[in-house]
Amino acid sequence: MPLLLGPFVRATLLALWLVFAGFTCTGSEHATATLPASFSDLLPHFLVEPEDEFIVKNKPVTLTCRSTPATQIYFKCNGEWVHQDDHLIERTVDPATALPIMQVTIDITRQQVEKIFGLDEYWCQCVAWSTTGTQKSQKAYIRIAYLRKNFEEEPQGKEVALDQEVLLRCHPPEGVPQAEVEWQRNEDVINPASDPNYFITTDHNLVIKKARLADTGNYTCVAKNIVARRKSTSATVLVYVDGGWSEWSKWSACGSDCSMWRSRECTQPSPGTGGKDCQGLDLQSLNCTSEQCPQTVNGAEDVALYVGMVAVALCLTLLLIVVVLVYRRKKEGLDADVADSSILTTGFQPMGIKPSKPENSHLLTIQPDLTTTTTSYQGTLRSRHDATGKFSMTNGPLLDPLPNGSHTLHNGKLNSDPAEFVSRLSTQSYFKTLPRDVANTSYGTFNFLGGRLTIPNTGISLLIPPEAIPRGKIYEIYLTVQRKEDLRLPLAGCQTLLSPVVSCGPPGVVLSRPVILSMDHCSDACLDNWAVRLKKQNYEGTWEDVLLMGEELVSEPYYCQLEAETCRLFTEQLGTLALVGESLHMGAAKRLRLVLFSDAYCSTLEYNIRVYCMDDTQDVFKEVMQMERQLGGRLIDEPHVLLFKDSYHNLRLSIHDMPQAHWRSKLLAGYQEIPFYHIWNGSQRYLHCTFTLERLSLSTCELTCQLCVWQVEGEGQSFSLDFNIAKDTRAVDSEFLLMDSNATALAGPSAFQIPYLIRQKICSSLDAPCPNGADWRMLAQRLKLERHMSFFASKASPTSVILDLWEAQHFHSGNINQLATVMADIGKQEAMIFLVSDGEC
């Protein structure tokens, strides 16, 4: 049998076969031969198969295929046989097995690949034959290598505190093969293996785990592949150190002036690289006791000293008595003005309530003044002391009064220049860091009657209930919304900002009752998905957690009600506040508002559509509308809301279904993408992408298309656009901003819907508990506020706190008659609640 021949015989037969077949060792002949009968029963198998290759610039690539035993080998590329003249053939013999080996190579040029570029990938495969059958090699893909010049995302410079985590993002340019990424600091390559404080993520971002002073520098993202090497623009990271106070020194000895002192220095640590200086006193003095004071007076000098002290004490006592008497008389005059029922009862007329007791009938028969829309309170809000007097700045950063010593309110509105107030406010030491943004600041002067501050079109307001400011005190109070870039609000891990950053103050003022700060939030309002914290900035600029939603303690100075889109914060301490949410699982979502703008006027072939993705709060929408108005943009569709989940998936935007005969997109890729972290805990609360379209003729004005925005593996929204780009050339105007016509500051009775005297009557009727439950608890249930029973019960007047919350919720849309109906319903279960006396409870 042929297969039983010895190796020597088989080698002799193979040599004779090669001689008589007329083949040489190399050549470009047909890749075909006839095998001796000894090898005719073997299938060919591949020793070398073609591999994937990249064409760099214009240099062709070579594919190689080697098989044994084989009668012929040919290449097939993209389903077509390569011409036999393009094959380079080489034949040898395997010395170990004496089997013939055939090797074939071909060259692939850039022009061949470019012929089908964009339609399919270019591939080649070799096929080997023997008398027994055929075998196919693996496919080899040939791609044109490139590396684009522009990074899809470049690192951004940052200023970070010492020991804070730093994240620098980098999305390298598109390339084939995919670019490798390395990071450089000051042109030196960063090696995380040698410095574990650095970490490079799988998506090429650089993480500095704890910022050190030595980490200050210029960071560059470098992308490279077989074609080229690209560098991003450098991002400067500045690590700053805020100053800390050293320990107080020991008290000095008592000096000749009967005082001793101690000091401390801003050296632990010293402020560096732009960090903040220490806040507070660096020198304290204290009066010595008489035993420690070195000064002594003897004999007649003692008598004279004591007589003088007694005389001064008598004079001060008489002066104090006179001041108290004058103050009481003035106060009685002011309270008499407040008790005017025409002021305090305007606009309240309960529905369907008929009093059964004559002595209380006046409460329900007061008729509203239908000839006026606001209550008038004319007169000074300052106590009638010496007009030249100043408020003391001791024990709290209260502001100095205005130069003329008084404010006059007409119809409850404050008529003072906001710019003048902000300028004067910023001269105070604590307020120098506040932004001078008049458009987003409101202020007013208030006393015990209370009032309200509102920032139009932001959803932000501050309700100051009656009696919140102690009687005899007058405060100048401000309310402002901070732009995110003005503050360093540290976010880590799964944390995200859910509300605007709001400042109200001055901080440190004494309040008798909580005020209510209302502001929008953008969470899905499901506390099972979130750990929502209230953060407050302290005097040193550090952010502190002061409240965890759902775990409020009634003894704390903060309490929060989270509604579907609004947060109502009860606070007894003013300051800079913000809501931060930390997702508990990937089901947590924040609301994004998607808004589309375009140019109001287009005279070129190019036409831009800007898609904004922002937190779904009114203050961010107002900021974007104001910015687009300056750019001359116009709103081209109604805003949509998208739930963006904490799934680490990016947000994608694409445009489809344009009439190809008239329009084309200049976008190279099929979609644009906003990274997840830019939205979840990025530095801006609004981001945007621009789609640049090109019309093929200036006469083309009709545009129809579909614009889609979706989170990868998540929810999406679609805009169906159909409009004429030439007809409506109106820029963003006030009609789109829905300007709030209400006054930014209201003081006294006009700031509330419930008249002052009626409010007092309701409180006195409902505060005392009734056995049948017809008290403040039933009022809370009727108003669907029973979740806060413990908080209300902790207050001296639970009813007043409930009414404060009702005022905050219904200032713009509330119907006083609806509240009267609720009161009537409570009264129907027992007696009319307005007419129940204390004895009957």
Side-chain angles (χ1 to χ4, degrees):
M1 295 177 63
L3 292 177
L4 298 177
L5 297 175
F8 176 77
V9 177
R10 296 186 66 177
T12 304
L13 288 173
L14 179 60
L16 291 173
W17 171 73
L18 290 173
V19 172
F20 288 109
F23 289 122
T24 58
C25 290
T26 60
S28 58
E29 302 87 11
H30 300 315
T32 307
T34 303
L35 287 174
S38 302
F39 311 112
S40 61
D41 58 345
L42 297 178
L43 278 173
H45 72 275
F46 291 99
L47 302 176
V48 176
E49 296 184 72
E51 300 286 344
D52 294 345
E53 297 287 348
F54 295 98
I55 295 178
V56 179
K57 298 182 180 179
N58 293 318
K59 185 179 180 181
V61 296
T62 300
L63 301 181
T64 301
C65 190
R66 185 185 301 165
S67 177
T68 183
T71 58
Q72 59 181 352
I73 300 176
Y74 281 109
F75 270 94
K76 192 180 211 179
C77 293
N78 281 78
E80 296 183 0
W81 293 105
V82 178
H83 195 276
Q84 61 185 13
D85 294 339
D86 295 331
H87 292 74
L88 183 63
I89 305 166
E90 180 180 351
R91 296 181 179 87
T92 58
V93 176
D94 187 345
T97 62
L99 291 176
I101 299 174
M102 180 177 288
Q103 177 175 297
V104 178
T105 60
I106 62 171
D107 289 338
I108 304 296
T109 65
R110 184 186 183 100
Q111 290 75 17
Q112 290 174 271
V113 177
E114 284 180 339
K115 286 182 180 179
I116 65 164
F117 185 74
L119 301 176
D120 199 358
E121 288 189 301
Y122 193 95
W123 59 268
C124 290
Q125 181 182 46
C126 63
V127 183
W129 281 265
S130 71
T131 56
T132 305
T134 63
Q135 290 280 30
K136 293 181 179 180
S137 73
Q138 66 183 10
K139 287 184 179 180
Y141 290 91
I142 299 93
R143 302 176 178 90
I144 298 175
Y146 67 93
L147 183 62
R148 299 196 186 280
K149 293 183 178 181
N150 297 327
F151 282 72
E152 296 187 13
E153 182 181 7
E154 293 187 293
Q156 302 295 321
K158 295 184 177 181
E159 294 183 4
V160 297
L162 188 69
D163 295 332
Q164 182 179 337
E165 183 182 89
V166 183
L167 175 64
L168 297 177
R169 302 186 184 280
C170 176
H171 197 167
E174 180 184 351
V176 173
Q178 186 176 357
E180 297 178 353
V181 172
E182 68 179 20
W183 282 87
Q184 296 179 352
R185 184 178 69 86
N186 298 335
E187 303 297 329
D188 295 329
V189 177
I190 294 174
N191 184 7
S194 59
D195 189 348
N197 194 45
Y198 292 108
F199 175 71
I200 299 178
T201 66
T202 55
D203 51 354
H204 312 302
N205 298 327
L206 176 66
V207 177
I208 305 175
K209 298 177 182 178
K210 285 190 175 182
R212 304 161 296 190
L213 290 178
D215 293 324
T216 295
N218 296 320
Y219 288 79
T220 308
C221 182
V222 181
K224 58 183 178 180
N225 65 4
I226 59 177
V227 179
R229 176 186 174 95
R230 313 286 189 206
K231 283 189 174 184
S232 71
T233 55
S234 295
T236 301
V237 173
L238 177 65
V239 181
Y240 62 87
V241 181
D242 289 335
W245 286 96
S246 63
E247 295 293 329
W248 286 104
S249 65
K250 294 183 178 180
W251 288 103
S252 67
C254 192
S256 59
D257 58 349
C258 289
S259 65
M260 55 185 181
W261 55 269
R262 64 176 181 173
S263 63
R264 55 182 177 177
E265 297 179 346
C266 188
T267 56
Q268 294 185 358
S270 299
T273 59
K276 296 180 181 178
D277 289 329
C278 299
Q279 302 290 324
L281 300 174
D282 57 359
L283 187 67
Q284 275 188 344
S285 63
L286 187 68
N287 290 335
C288 305
T289 61
S290 58
E291 292 82 5
Q292 296 173 319
C293 183
Q295 292 183 349
T296 57
V297 181
N298 298 317
E301 293 181 354
D302 286 346
V303 177
L305 176 62
Y306 295 148
V307 171
M309 292 176 60
V310 171
V312 170
L314 290 175
C315 292
L316 290 177
T317 303
L318 292 175
L319 180 61
L320 179 61
I321 293 173
V322 172
V323 170
V324 170
L325 292 175
V326 171
Y327 172 76
R328 286 184 176 179
R329 290 185 180 180
K330 299 296 184 182
K331 185 171 179 296
E332 290 172 359
L334 182 60
D335 292 345
D337 292 339
V338 173
D340 183 358
S341 62
S342 65
I343 296 174
L344 302 177
T345 60
T346 299
F348 186 87
Q349 186 177 10
M351 297 174 56
I353 302 177
K354 295 183 179 180
S356 59
K357 295 187 178 183
E359 60 271 20
N360 290 328
S361 61
H362 70 279
L363 181 60
L364 301 177
T365 57
I366 299 173
Q367 296 297 324
D369 183 2
L370 301 179
T371 63
T372 181
T373 58
T374 59
T375 300
S376 297
Y377 173 72
Q378 297 181 349
T380 178
L381 279 184
R382 296 190 179 275
S383 43
R384 301 171 189 174
H385 290 175
D386 183 3
T388 61
K390 299 289 185 180
F391 285 103
S392 173
M393 297 293 290
T394 307
N395 298 325
L398 296 181
L399 299 179
D400 291 340
L402 294 180
N404 61 7
S406 65
H407 267 304
T408 300
L409 306 186
H410 298 283
N411 294 329
K413 298 180 181 179
L414 295 167
N415 300 315
S416 186
D417 181 14
E420 182 271 337
F421 171 79
V422 173
S423 177
R424 181 162 51 82
L425 184 70
S426 62
T427 62
Q428 304 291 334
S429 59
Y430 175 74
F431 307 103
K432 288 181 179 178
T433 58
L434 287 177
R436 302 192 182 191
D437 188 356
V438 176
N440 293 294
T441 301
S442 64
Y443 79 98
T445 305
F446 303 95
N447 66 357
F448 73 96
L449 291 175
R452 184 188 306 264
L453 292 175
T454 303
I455 303 177
N457 304 302
T458 63
I460 300 171
S461 65
L462 181 70
L463 181 76
I464 306 166
E467 307 294 341
I469 296 176
R471 288 177 179 259
K473 296 284 187 179
I474 299 175
Y475 296 156
E476 279 184 332
I477 296 180
Y478 66 85
L479 177 68
T480 184
V481 56
Q482 303 270 10
R483 297 304 182 203
K484 179 80 177 294
E485 56 270 16
D486 293 333
L487 297 172
R488 297 185 180 117
L489 187 65
L491 297 175
C494 301
Q495 291 184 340
T496 183
L497 186 64
L498 297 178
S499 75
V501 180
V502 178
S503 294
C504 54
V509 297
V510 178
L511 296 174
S512 303
R513 298 181 51 220
V515 297
I516 301 180
L517 176 64
S518 300
M519 55 184 175
D520 288 354
H521 70 85
C522 61
S523 77
D524 57 10
C526 181
L527 289 179
D528 294 336
N529 298 336
W530 295 93
V532 180
R533 290 178 170 85
L534 177 69
K535 288 183 175 286
K536 183 182 180 185
Q537 191 179 35
N538 61 22
Y539 283 91
E540 287 75 26
T542 304
W543 287 91
E544 301 173 338
D545 293 342
V546 294
L547 178 68
L548 176 60
M549 202 80 68
E551 297 184 8
E552 301 95 336
L553 298 177
V554 295
S555 59
E556 294 178 344
Y558 304 96
Y559 190 85
C560 189
Q561 171 174 294
L562 196 70
E563 301 169 5
E565 298 179 357
T566 307
C567 168
R568 314 283 181 189
L569 174 65
F570 291 83
T571 175
E572 298 175 10
Q573 299 177 3
L574 304 184
T576 299
L577 303 158
L579 281 183
V580 171
E582 182 175 3
S583 60
L584 301 179
H585 51 77
M586 296 176 68
K590 61 186 297 187
R591 301 190 318 275
L592 298 182
R593 186 179 299 192
L594 309 176
V595 190
L596 271 59
F597 292 91
S598 66
D599 298 328
Y601 179 74
C602 180
S603 59
T604 63
L605 294 177
E606 284 192 355
Y607 188 72
N608 294 320
I609 295 179
R610 295 180 291 278
V611 185
Y612 286 85
C613 306
M614 67 189 78
D615 290 353
D616 186 24
T617 58
Q618 296 179 58
D619 69 297
V620 182
F621 183 59
K622 174 184 177 181
E623 184 178 355
V624 171
M625 295 293 281
Q626 289 174 334
M627 181 175 61
E628 278 292 330
R629 182 164 56 178
Q630 294 175 355
L631 295 175
R634 63 164 170 166
L635 192 66
I636 58 176
D637 203 350
E638 292 293 328
H640 291 193
V641 174
L642 173 73
L643 285 178
F644 188 78
K645 292 187 176 182
D646 181 21
S647 62
Y648 298 98
H649 290 300
N650 298 340
L651 191 71
R652 288 183 177 175
L653 305 92
S654 60
I655 194 165
H656 311 275
D657 303 336
M658 286 187 302
Q660 300 297 324
H662 303 289
W663 292 87
R664 72 181 184 92
S665 172
K666 301 190 73 174
L667 185 67
L668 296 178
Y671 57 84
Q672 298 192 64
E673 198 165 66
I674 300 178
F676 169 83
Y677 289 102
H678 283 200
I679 298 173
W680 197 259
N681 50 19
S683 59
Q684 282 191 300
R685 297 184 66 202
Y686 64 86
L687 301 162
H688 84 277
C689 290
T690 299
F691 288 91
T692 301
L693 311 180
E694 186 177 42
R695 46 181 174 168
L696 304 184
S697 171
L698 286 173
S699 61
T700 300
C701 294
E702 294 292 336
L703 174 59
T704 58
C705 61
Q706 196 85 2
L707 200 150
C708 301
V709 184
W710 75 100
Q711 187 179 15
V712 180
E713 299 185 12
E715 183 177 310
Q717 287 285 5
S718 176
F719 295 84
S720 297
L721 305 181
D722 184 358
F723 63 98
N724 187 302
I725 68 173
K727 279 187 177 179
D728 186 2
T729 59
R730 296 172 299 168
V732 174
D733 205 348
S734 58
E735 61 180 286
F736 294 118
L737 287 174
L738 302 175
M739 295 301 292
D740 190 347
S741 60
N742 292 289
T744 59
L746 294 173
S750 62
F752 307 96
Q753 294 204 53
I754 306 173
Y756 185 79
L757 289 181
I758 292 182
R759 175 191 176 94
Q760 289 184 319
K761 290 290 185 180
I762 295 175
C763 293
S764 61
S765 299
L766 297 182
D767 278 345
C770 287
N772 59 7
D775 51 30
W776 63 268
R777 293 168 295 180
M778 187 174 294
L779 177 63
Q781 292 173 355
R782 289 286 193 273
L783 297 179
K784 299 180 180 179
L785 301 174
E786 57 271 15
R787 190 177 75 87
H788 311 294
M789 286 291 194
S790 299
F791 173 69
F792 297 145
S794 68
K795 302 304 175 184
S797 174
T799 310
S800 65
V801 181
I802 296 174
L803 296 181
D804 292 344
L805 183 55
W806 187 90
E807 290 276 6
Q809 290 176 320
H810 300 93
F811 178 59
H812 293 292
S813 59
N815 186 342
I816 195 70
N817 288 331
Q818 293 177 351
L819 181 61
T821 302
V822 171
M823 302 300 297
D825 290 342
I826 296 175
K828 288 178 182 178
Q829 297 181 8
E830 178 66 15
M832 289 296 182
I833 191 63
F834 291 113
L835 306 179
V836 174
S837 64
D838 295 340
E840 294 175 44
C841 288

